[in-house]
């Protein structure tokens, strides 16, 4: 069994002061595969103090091009270690190794891209009258608490650490309690790359303990969180006393719209892939598949056929398309929503079962699931399931498609397929989502801003916009004359 018995604080590997050692469960077997150190409140205090010392000391004072050089060394190390990180993430959360390799194998690009911005955060000159010179400068907000999810821990870490470090902030990283291992492996790379002690600290722990203490800590300037909306609300309440900055990347219930004039085969490739990627555990999941009635029956038939081709299996097998749900609680949630969908009157046309035969017997496996004859009033169409469950909803015409797409509490992502370029522009402009993909899906890069409308979050990750929440803007006004009138001269 793998053992990770120390935390990474202030550039050193230290035992927890008031934490514990916790088992990490392999979701493909339901059995522990690693022992991991969890920190408590005192450990968070140590990590925040180390991050504060590094911020006030070497990191904040370091020229941007020097920070960039260290980040580039880290990015190169990340690339070298990506295959091992992918395997460890698969052990921790059950993601199919083919997905983990593809995803984690690209993360070095994020770190390189943000490194390229570290010396380019200039302000601007503000023209006023000749007697004053006014200008802005940008400076880092300070210590950042980064709280990452269990579905894509390494990707979420890259999306937070990249802009935070480029901006000159220091970080305390608290990964989800279900998937702590890769974040501790990440700390080894930060150490090897030569970051000053305390710039990045890694403290696994539970949400109510370590997480809540990090959020409430008066010396933490910003919380960057990816996870559930209900948790974000608790974070807001907990952090309100210290008036922190917050950025949230939360849930989604993305509409994936297929018009009758689309290349339906290509649309199906994207729609089925996005419905079952990560075993459905993606906030950008295209789980509401809106289909124009003229092609609806064809799309339903193809979803059923293609669901049977999905190889569900042990996640470290390179032939596996889809692994298990990441933990038992999530499996139970997905199965409960499958029952809800049937009770609501949707037609279960594929899947809908836990897989319990052979080597899958003890894991958290569920079959790719398809509901037909769904409508947007059903809970399976309105609430985020986070499982491989697609609800196929028919529509008639552009107006109804837009109305259904926007009738949601979420607004993270959306997709649409059409052969009409005018319709592509009209519909994409009217959809209330932070990112809209046209004739493609889940196309995400380091330079494309990502974040949501409505209950899907606050702020943006990726792109130039990602830096905004890690920077303060300061205005300086200097008199060119040094003259100031005496208000009481008369």
């Amino acid at each position: 069994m793998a053992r990770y018995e120390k935390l990474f604080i202030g550039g050193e590997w230290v035992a927890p002061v008031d934490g514990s050692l916790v088992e990490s469960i392999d979701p493909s077997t339901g059995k522990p595969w690693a022992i991991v150190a969890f920190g408590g409140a005192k450990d968070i205090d140590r990590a925040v103090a180390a991050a504060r010392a590094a911020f006030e000391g070497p990191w904040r004072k370091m020229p941007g091009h020097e920070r960039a050089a260290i980040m580039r060394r880290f990015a190169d190390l990340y690339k070298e270690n990506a295959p091992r990180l992918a395997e460890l993430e698969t052990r921790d959360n059950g993601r199919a190794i083919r997905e983990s390799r593809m995803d984690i194998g690209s993360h070095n690009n994020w770190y390189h891209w943000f490194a390229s911005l570290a010396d380019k955060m200039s302000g601007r000159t503000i023209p006023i009258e000749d007697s004053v010179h006014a200008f802005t400068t940008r400076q880092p907000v300070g210590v950042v608490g980064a709280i990452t999810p269990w579905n894509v821990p390494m990707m979420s870490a890259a999306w937070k650490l990249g802009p935070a470090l480029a901006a000159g902030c220091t970080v305390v990283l608290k990964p989800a309690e279900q998937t702590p291992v890769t974040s501790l492996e990440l700390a080894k790379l930060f150490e090897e790359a030569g970051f000053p002690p305390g710039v990045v600290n890694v403290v696994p722990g539970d949400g109510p303990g370590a997480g809540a203490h990090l959020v409430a800590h008066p010396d933490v300037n910003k919380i960057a969180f990816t996870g559930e909306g209900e948790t974000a609300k608790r974070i807001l309440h907990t952090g309100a006393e210290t008036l922190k900055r917050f950025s949230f990347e939360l849930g989604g219930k993305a509409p994936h719209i297929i018009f009758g004039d689309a290349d339906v085969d290509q649309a199906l490739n994207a729609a089925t892939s996005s419905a079952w990627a990560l075993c459905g555990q993606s906030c950008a999941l295209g789980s509401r598949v809106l289909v124009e009635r003229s092609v609806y029956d064809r799309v339903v038939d193809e979803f059923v056929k293609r669901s049977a081709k999905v190889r569900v299996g042990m996640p470290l097998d390179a032939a596996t398309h889809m692994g298990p749900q990441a933990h038992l609680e999530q499996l139970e949630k997905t199965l409960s929503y499958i029952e809800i969908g049937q009770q609501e009157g949707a037609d279960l046309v594929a899947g809908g079962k836990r897989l319990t035969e052979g080597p899958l017997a003890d894991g958290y496996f569920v079959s790719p699931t398809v509901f037909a004859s769904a409508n947007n009033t059903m809970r399976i169409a309105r609430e985020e399931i986070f499982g491989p469950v697609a609800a196929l909803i028919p529509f008639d015409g552009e107006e109804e498609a837009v109305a259904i797409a926007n009738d949601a509490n979420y607004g993270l992502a959306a997709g649409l397929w059409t052969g009409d370029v005018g319709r592509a522009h009209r519909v994409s402009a009217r959809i209330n989502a932070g990112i809209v993909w046209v004739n493609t899906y889940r196309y995400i890069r380091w330079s494309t801003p990502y974040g949501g409308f409505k209950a899907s979050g606050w702020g943006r990750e990726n792109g130039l916009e990602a830096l905004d929440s890690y920077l303060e803007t300061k205005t300086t006004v200097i008199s060119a004359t040094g003259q100031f009138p005496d208000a009481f001269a008369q």
Side-chain angles (χ1 to χ4, degrees):
M1 185 178 294
R3 304 190 76 86
Y4 296 83
E5 298 183 4
K6 293 188 176 181
L7 313 170
F8 186 65
I9 296 174
E12 298 181 350
W13 292 94
V14 296
V17 172
D18 61 346
S20 59
L21 298 180
V22 176
E23 293 179 338
S24 188
I25 303 299
D26 182 337
S28 67
T29 64
K31 297 178 174 61
W33 76 280
I35 299 293
V36 182
F38 271 28
K42 292 181 180 178
D43 298 303
I44 291 293
D45 287 341
R46 287 195 295 169
V48 173
R52 175 58 59 188
F55 177 71
E56 300 295 350
W59 193 242
R60 183 182 189 181
K61 298 172 184 176
M62 187 179 292
H65 68 277
E66 293 183 14
R67 289 202 308 273
I70 300 175
M71 290 181 68
R72 291 189 183 101
R73 286 201 296 272
F74 171 80
D76 290 338
L77 286 169
Y78 194 104
K79 183 177 181 180
E80 292 173 15
N81 287 271
R84 184 172 59 89
L85 291 171
E87 182 173 332
L88 292 170
E89 182 161 301
T90 287
R91 290 296 303 274
D92 235 5
N93 72 358
R95 187 178 186 184
I97 189 65
R98 61 167 59 192
E99 286 187 344
S100 296
R101 286 171 178 163
M102 184 178 299
D103 179 19
I104 292 175
S106 70
H107 292 170
N108 64 293
N109 293 306
W110 265 264
Y111 289 107
H112 271 299
W113 193 77
F114 281 111
S116 74
L117 302 178
D119 59 355
K120 299 177 180 63
M121 286 168 282
S122 56
R124 62 189 180 94
T125 299
I126 304 171
I128 312 179
E129 56 260 29
D130 292 342
S131 61
V132 297
H133 176 56
F135 59 93
T136 65
T137 51
R138 309 195 80 189
Q139 61 188 54
V141 298
V143 176
V144 174
I147 303 175
T148 53
W150 46 260
N151 61 330
V152 283
M154 287 293 90
M155 184 181 79
S156 185
W159 289 16
K160 292 169 176 54
L161 287 163
L165 296 173
C169 297
T170 55
V171 181
V172 177
L173 173 63
K174 195 215 79 73
E177 56 241 57
Q178 298 90 347
T179 53
V181 167
T182 46
S183 294
L184 290 168
E185 288 287 342
L186 199 63
K188 296 177 183 178
L189 302 184
F190 281 110
E191 182 181 29
E192 186 176 351
F195 280 83
V199 171
V200 178
N201 308 272
V202 180
V203 183
D206 63 22
H213 193 68
L214 180 63
V215 170
H217 202 292
D219 218 18
V220 173
N221 304 103
K222 169 185 163 60
I223 294 293
F225 170 76
T226 296
E228 293 182 340
E230 290 303 313
T231 305
K233 292 176 185 178
R234 291 195 294 272
I235 287 173
L236 280 174
H237 283 288
T238 302
E241 287 297 320
T242 51
L243 291 177
K244 288 177 171 61
R245 282 195 180 197
F246 297 96
S247 57
F248 295 130
E249 200 274 280
L250 307 176
K253 196 68 179 178
H256 201 157
I257 307 168
I258 303 174
F259 285 100
D261 62 5
D263 184 330
V264 176
D265 287 333
Q266 296 302 314
L268 281 162
N269 289 343
T272 53
S273 172
S274 68
W276 302 318
L278 282 82
C279 197
Q281 298 164 139
S282 167
C283 47
L285 190 76
S287 55
R288 283 192 299 154
V289 186
L290 281 51
V291 187
E292 196 156 26
R293 205 172 296 274
S294 60
V295 293
Y296 184 79
D297 290 342
R298 176 185 172 188
V299 169
V300 171
D301 289 344
E302 282 295 321
F303 256 82
V304 173
K305 291 176 183 176
R306 295 184 186 213
S307 70
K309 296 179 180 179
V310 178
R311 291 192 294 271
V312 181
M314 298 302 284
L316 286 172
D317 184 345
T320 292
H321 291 141
M322 193 175 88
Q325 301 265 255
H327 51 90
L328 181 59
E329 182 181 0
Q330 181 55 50
L331 172 68
E332 292 172 344
K333 177 183 176 183
T334 296
L335 294 174
S336 73
Y337 270 100
I338 291 171
E339 184 176 346
I340 288 168
Q342 294 173 284
Q343 293 171 351
E344 290 179 319
D347 293 334
L348 179 63
V349 294
K353 297 179 181 179
R354 181 176 182 179
L355 303 178
T356 57
E357 295 183 0
L360 309 187
D362 296 322
Y364 309 142
F365 296 89
V366 63
S367 54
T369 299
V370 184
F371 280 104
S373 302
N375 65 68
N376 211 50
T377 66
M378 295 177 175
R379 289 181 63 189
I380 59 169
R382 303 196 68 82
E383 299 173 12
E384 188 174 44
I385 299 171
F386 235 52
V389 180
L392 276 54
I393 302 172
F395 69 85
D396 294 296
E398 199 171 296
E399 289 298 319
E400 186 178 16
V402 171
I404 295 172
N406 287 337
D407 182 17
N409 294 327
Y410 299 106
L412 180 60
L416 66 100
W417 290 80
T418 178
D420 183 336
V421 67
R423 169 177 281 165
H425 283 280
R426 287 193 306 271
V427 174
S428 62
R430 296 176 63 192
I431 292 176
N432 296 324
I435 188 166
V436 181
W437 293 292
V438 179
N439 293 338
T440 187
Y441 203 82
R442 292 185 74 236
Y443 185 94
I444 299 170
R445 293 295 184 269
W446 40 92
S447 54
T448 54
Y450 184 87
F453 292 13
K454 299 186 278 189
S456 286
W458 291 359
R460 293 294 180 268
E461 296 187 300
N462 301 334
L464 297 174
E465 290 80 357
L467 288 167
D468 290 341
S469 67
Y470 296 95
L471 292 166
E472 297 281 12
T473 297
K474 176 188 289 183
T475 302
T476 303
V477 180
I478 300 176
S479 171
T481 66
Q483 302 297 307
F484 199 92
D486 181 355
F488 310 107
Q490 296 181 354

